[in-house]
Structure formats: C-alpha cells, structure tokens
Amino acid sequence: MSTERLAALLDEYAELEKRLADPAIHADQGTARRVGRRYAELVPLHKAADELEQARADLVAARELAGEDPAFAAEAESIAATLPALEQRLAELLIPRDPHDAKDVIVEIKAGEGGEESALFAGDLLRMYTRYAERHGWVTEVIDAQDSDLGGVKDVSLAIKTKGVPEGGNGVWSRLKWEGGVHRVQRVPVTESQGRIHTSAAGVLVLPEAEDVDVTVDSNDLRIDVFRSSGPGGQSVNTTDSAVRITHVPTGIVVSCQNEKSQLQNREQAMRILRARLLAAAQEQADAAASDARKAQVRTVDRSERIRTYNFPQNRITDHRIGYTAYNLDLALAGELDGVLDALTEADRAARLAGETELTRR
C-alpha cells in the first residue's frame, strides 16, 4: 500500500470538501458538478481509511487493556482478525481507477451485416440499454437516429446521464464502458419464411460524454455542411436544409445530425458527439503510449469479431471476453444486464489487483 498516494488522496479529499462548502462554487454549475463528482469518487477511500485507522487504534487499546484484564485479549484477537479485510479494501481503492468512471456516456449503435434483421437487432439493443438506464434512474436522450423500414434502427446515438452526482463516483461510464464492440445475434428473422436461424450483428460504441474542459475544439478546424434531412419527420424536417454534417479536419472525424427541426439544434447535438469522439481518440492515444497490449473498441461490424452473442433459441447470452454464459436472454433484453456487467467489472478488478492491464473493452 502506497502511504504517499493515500496521503495525497486524503489531502485532495479535504480540499474538495472545503471547496464544496463554499457557496461561491455553486454559481458555476459545471465546476460544482465536476468537483462534486471527484469528491464522490474519494468518499469510499476516505471512509475505508478512517475505518482502518480506527480499527488499528482499537487494537492497540485492547492489547494494552489485556495486560490488566485478560478478558480484553479475546477482543484484541477479534479486532486483529478484521484488519486484513480492511487493508485489502483500502488497497483496492488505491488502485488508479478509470478517470472517466463518473462520466455520462453517448452510446452509438450501428446495424451491420444482416440487412433488415441487423437493423431490428440494433433496435433491440437500443431498447435494452434504455430499459437498463430506467432501472438505474438514469436519463436517456436520443440525439440522432436513422430508422429502418421494419421498425429497427440503422444508426442511433443515445445519451445516458445520471441524475446529480453519482454515488461513489460510479457514473454511467463505469457500468456501460464494457459494451463497446460487436454484438452478434442468432435467431429466426421475421423476414425468414423457412424458419432457419440466421446470424447477424450490430456494432456498439460507448463514449464518455466530454465536457468543455475535457476537449478544446478550434472552430477553424471544422468544416460544416448543411443538407436536407431524410426519413420521417415534421413538415420542416424534409423541406429545409436543417441537417448538419461536421468534419473535424485534423482527425477526419465526421459527425452528422438531422433529428432536430432547426439547423442550430442539430449543430449543437453534432458537437456533443464530436467532443465525445475526440475525447475517446485522445484517451486511446494515451492508452497506446502507456501500453501496447491495451486495445481500443472494435469499430468494424464483422460477425466474426464479436464480444457477445445473443442466442434466441437457447435463451442464452454469452460474453466471449470472460467466458460468461447465462440462460436469461429475455431478461437481459428487458434491461437486466447487471449479471454480465458485474462479471466484467469483477474480471477487471481482479486483473488490476494482479497488476495486469485493464480488461480490454473490445
């Protein structure tokens, strides 16, 4: 256990506590939210350190009293038995955590191979994440979507946010960061007349939503094009040049948005996605510099490169990264994802405790 790191984090906790007690900080809600999130991240560490310090003090006192009264010897042994668990808990909390864990996210889902069936499956994934968010009291917002003819989605961007400051600094990213990659479905499509099982796939990309302080975007680096929206919508959607396409010239990242009725609203939504993608790109570069073994999320929607399989005939969900299998696919699609997400989180925790690279989010 690093005593220097512990001391530094406890000093930071004390400083953040002072800042939050100052009414002036709440004049800037963005700053207050960032400080509050960081404070919430350090609360469990501060509590664990206090509990360990108190237990050690109690042990010293009990041993001193045992010299005068043997009855305290049993109490000293009981207290001593609690120390390893408290030390282990504190050691886990001292492991550097993902800096984005407290953040909200933007989830992008894209239909891949499989045509209309893939678009229907992408729609199933959209409902799954929306229902999971509802179970946790999170707020969802469809930023942009392209629907398919049979009620699926070809491409959708979904923002998921916590209400207020997440407890313990565990925001939406801390749970959904594992979802990025290719999701494969095996089932009889509604378009299949012979009853044969088909395999198709949809791609999921999870991005921590960037704040203004995370990413600086120079307007001179942007090329902005407007065009007429396509697909269903109100009178103004298909008759005016309200859709916006933003190209970040230095990186080549292109984002388009057409869901809103006004060009200004579509531009604001597209910028949200662009900032999130730029933040993710910067993080990937930092990760690559730190460790060649750490991989980015899969961006190709190829059925052979999958992180998870959803098998409808067997009611089975399998996560291939950790060998997790459960026969409750119907519940998972209804938003009960904690089983697989808990398993992924535990695998990552075990790897970090062993000093290995963080579990790959592929």
Side-chain angles (χ1 to χ4, degrees):
M1 185 185 300
S2 172
T3 55
E4 294 82 3
R5 175 171 168 74
L6 175 60
L9 291 174
L10 292 179
D11 287 344
E12 183 184 359
Y13 171 89
E15 179 60 29
L16 293 173
E17 193 170 42
K18 289 180 182 178
R19 291 186 67 185
L20 289 173
D22 184 355
I25 194 175
H26 300 286
D28 183 342
Q29 289 301 309
T31 299
R33 183 173 173 81
R34 286 192 297 275
V35 173
R37 281 178 170 178
R38 179 55 178 164
Y39 178 78
E41 289 179 7
L42 294 177
V43 166
L45 177 73
H46 179 264
K47 181 179 179 182
D50 270 358
E51 289 178 354
L52 179 58
E53 183 179 2
Q54 185 61 55
R56 286 172 172 169
D58 290 345
L59 178 59
V60 170
R63 283 174 172 170
E64 289 178 352
L65 292 170
E68 303 173 2
D69 185 348
F72 283 100
E75 182 177 347
E77 291 181 6
S78 177
I79 296 172
T82 68
L83 292 184
L86 293 173
E87 291 170 347
Q88 174 72 7
R89 171 63 175 159
L90 186 56
E92 291 178 8
L93 291 170
L94 280 172
I95 297 173
R97 64 184 297 167
D98 188 324
H100 299 313
D101 271 352
K103 288 186 177 294
D104 300 323
V105 305
I106 293 176
V107 179
E108 297 184 5
I109 307 171
K110 300 178 185 296
E113 296 182 11
E116 192 63 44
E117 163 62 7
S118 178
L120 289 170
F121 178 52
D124 291 337
L125 293 177
L126 173 62
R127 285 185 290 275
M128 180 179 75
Y129 293 129
T130 301
R131 290 167 179 168
Y132 182 74
E134 291 171 352
R135 289 176 178 272
H136 285 263
W138 297 337
V139 179
T140 60
E141 173 195 2
V142 174
I143 299 176
D144 194 46
Q146 297 180 37
D147 299 330
S148 70
D149 295 335
L150 296 182
V153 291
K154 298 176 182 177
D155 193 342
V156 61
S157 296
L158 177 71
I160 307 179
K161 296 176 172 288
T162 57
K163 294 179 180 178
V165 176
E167 184 177 353
N170 296 313
V172 184
W173 173 259
S174 71
R175 296 299 287 169
L176 295 186
K177 60 185 173 183
W178 316 114
E179 294 303 288
V182 174
H183 296 240
R184 185 177 67 171
V185 62
Q186 296 171 329
R187 65 184 175 187
V188 179
V190 295
T191 55
E192 169 59 52
S193 59
Q194 303 298 319
R196 293 172 297 184
I197 296 174
H198 285 223
T199 298
S200 61
V204 176
L205 181 63
V206 184
L207 305 168
E209 181 150 14
E211 301 178 36
D212 290 339
V213 296
D214 296 324
V215 176
T216 301
V217 181
D218 188 338
S219 59
N220 294 322
D221 290 337
L222 303 179
R223 185 174 70 244
I224 301 176
D225 302 305
V226 296
F227 57 97
R228 188 158 298 179
S229 301
S230 60
Q235 291 183 349
S236 63
V237 172
N238 300 314
T239 60
T240 63
D241 292 336
S242 60
V244 174
R245 181 186 301 109
I246 299 178
T247 302
H248 186 251
V249 177
T251 62
I253 294 175
V254 180
V255 178
S256 61
C257 190
Q258 62 177 13
N259 263 32
E260 305 296 339
K261 292 183 178 180
S262 79
Q263 187 181 123
L264 177 61
Q265 289 174 316
N266 281 322
R267 175 170 174 162
E268 290 175 349
Q269 298 289 48
M271 284 300 297
R272 287 177 64 186
I273 299 174
L274 176 62
R275 282 195 294 268
R277 290 189 183 178
L278 288 172
L279 177 62
Q283 186 64 53
E284 285 179 13
Q285 290 177 358
D287 292 342
S291 171
D292 292 334
R294 187 170 179 177
K295 299 179 179 64
Q297 298 181 61
V298 171
R299 282 165 173 71
T300 57
V301 188
D302 182 330
R303 285 174 297 189
S304 66
E305 297 184 33
R306 81 283 188 204
I307 63 165
R308 192 175 297 155
T309 295
Y310 303 74
N311 185 292
F312 276 69
Q314 298 178 17
N315 196 36
R316 170 173 56 83
I317 180 172
T318 299
D319 195 286
H320 303 286
R321 294 165 292 183
I322 57 173
Y324 173 93
T325 294
Y327 293 87
N328 61 350
L329 175 57
D330 53 338
L331 297 178
L333 290 174
E336 295 187 20
L337 281 173
D338 281 327
V340 61
L341 296 181
D342 285 345
L344 286 161
T345 301
E346 176 57 28
D348 174 64
R349 186 192 70 85
R352 288 187 293 117
L353 277 175
E356 299 173 6
T357 304
E358 181 183 355
L359 178 70
T360 302
R361 297 190 298 273
R362 296 201 313 115

